[in-house]
Structure formats: C-alpha cells, structure tokens
Amino acid sequence: MSGAIGCDLLVGSGRKFLRGPRGTGFLYVRQAVASRLTPVVLGLDGVRWQSGTYHLAPGAPRFETWEVDAAARIGLGVAVDYALQWGVEHTWRRVRHLAAGLRERLAAVPGVRVEDRGVERCGNVAVTFRGLDPFDVRAELLRRGINTWVCLDNAACHDMQLRGLSRLLRVSVHYYNTEEEVERLCSALEALTSGRAAGRTAGAFA
C-alpha cells in the first residue's frame, strides 16, 4: 500500500478522529528511508551497543523510546480495529457529507464566516463571528449541550497570523453525528448571532 501511494513517512495521532487514547500515535517509515534517518532522541531499544560505541537499530525500532504506556498502546490497537471494522472509506464519506452540509448551513447564518480552506477539507470546521468572541460562543453552546473548541493562533501560527485571525471556533463532526445535531448547532448559532439567546443581546451572553 505504501508503494501505491508513494509514502515514505506517515505520522498520525491516536486520538482525534481515530478516537484512541490521548498521548498515543504512530509512525510509519519506509524501510529504505528509515536507515537514513537519525532520531532526535535515542532510547535503549533504539541502539545496539558494540565495543564501547553504539549503532542505530535497523528500521522502526530506532525511533522507539524505552518507557511506554502498555495500556494506551492496547487502547490504540482497539481503536484501530474498531475503525477498520466500520470501514475507513465508509466513515470518511460520512464525515465529508456531514462537514459539507455543516459548512453550507453555517455560510447561510448571518454574522458567521467559515474560515477553513483547502481542496480536501475534513470534519473540522473553523468559523468566526461578527461582533462575537468565539470563547463566549463556545460557553453558550456548552450550556446548550453542544461541544465545540476555540483554537488560538498558536495552533496554526503562519496561516492565522497571515490572515489576521487570533481565534477561531472549531466545530468537528464525526460519523456518529446526525443531521439533526448539525441543525441544532446551526439553529443555536442563528439565535446567538441575532441576539435571541435566552433573552440576551448579541455579544453579552458569556
């Protein structure tokens, strides 16, 4: 498979869309490339001691550190198995469908601007608001049982600073979300941006 996509290195987080334990991740390195790389940190299993000096272990072991969380590794394996059971292509189609619908719906809400760009966009949707602070919006949505997150410019320094953005509200959908939940979120944002949030005026609901 790696040869088919021309992949030399692949790094991924165990959490986020894979839904594995926090603090886990994976690294794939093509064998021919691994032998040319020197890890920044060397672990006990990453080297072979010979005659008072050391040699890097061949292949992937050179990137491993000594102390590992065995339970988290097991949890990552379970998350991978679960994702494969549902089918990555199937869940990816679902995520793209929900995200596309969310972006289209948000674009129609006055005072809301969809900020994420790219040819292939994922389930993370970034938005800003006219006259509203994303932290205030997140707090109000949380009171309504809707989980979102605020990203600061240190999360994407170059892009956000280049575009003059200091904070964004990140709304993420996954395959288990429903169209009804997307609609509930957008209706809540419509109420907030129009100042109808529980009798509060826009910008004063935090």
Side-chain angles (χ1 to χ4, degrees):
M1 179 63 181
S2 62
I5 63 175
C7 180
D8 290 330
L9 297 100
L10 177 64
V11 179
S13 171
R15 63 186 187 97
K16 301 289 186 178
F17 282 86
L18 192 54
R19 301 171 66 201
R22 179 181 288 271
T24 61
F26 59 86
L27 166 67
Y28 164 82
V29 184
R30 188 161 60 89
Q31 189 71 30
V33 175
S35 61
R36 304 201 304 266
L37 301 178
T38 301
V40 176
V41 177
L42 298 179
L44 190 59
D45 285 342
V47 297
R48 300 291 183 265
W49 291 97
Q50 295 176 348
S51 303
T53 186
Y54 69 88
H55 301 276
L56 291 173
R62 69 174 57 192
F63 299 101
E64 296 185 3
T65 54
W66 179 243
E67 294 293 340
V68 298
D69 185 341
R73 279 190 171 187
I74 293 172
L76 177 60
V78 172
V80 170
D81 289 341
Y82 188 79
L84 293 176
Q85 176 184 340
W86 278 95
V88 175
E89 289 300 323
H90 173 70
T91 56
W92 176 223
R93 284 195 299 271
R94 173 68 176 171
V95 169
R96 281 188 295 183
H97 168 73
L98 287 172
L102 175 60
R103 290 185 179 94
E104 181 178 359
R105 183 71 171 79
L106 287 174
V109 178
V112 176
R113 177 182 173 89
V114 178
E115 300 286 359
D116 56 300
R117 304 183 296 184
V119 176
E120 188 69 65
R121 293 191 285 183
C122 66
N124 292 331
V125 182
V127 296
T128 55
F129 306 92
R130 184 173 61 245
L132 297 177
D133 189 296
F135 278 109
D136 295 340
V137 176
R138 177 177 181 263
E140 182 63 31
L141 291 175
L142 191 59
R143 281 192 282 269
R144 296 165 178 250
I146 301 173
N147 292 319
T148 58
W149 191 253
V150 176
C151 291
L152 302 179
D153 56 3
N154 62 358
C157 300
H158 179 73
D159 180 65
M160 289 183 65
Q161 291 175 10
L162 189 66
R163 298 162 65 188
L165 300 171
S166 61
R167 55 190 63 173
L168 300 160
L169 185 76
R170 187 188 69 202
V171 182
S172 301
V173 293
H174 212 328
Y175 64 83
Y176 52 76
N177 287 121
T178 65
E179 282 83 355
E180 289 75 17
E181 289 173 326
V182 170
E183 179 59 33
R184 185 162 69 92
L185 164 69
C186 294
S187 295
L189 289 178
E190 283 183 335
L192 297 179
T193 56
S194 64
R196 298 196 307 270
R200 300 177 177 91
T201 58
F205 50 79

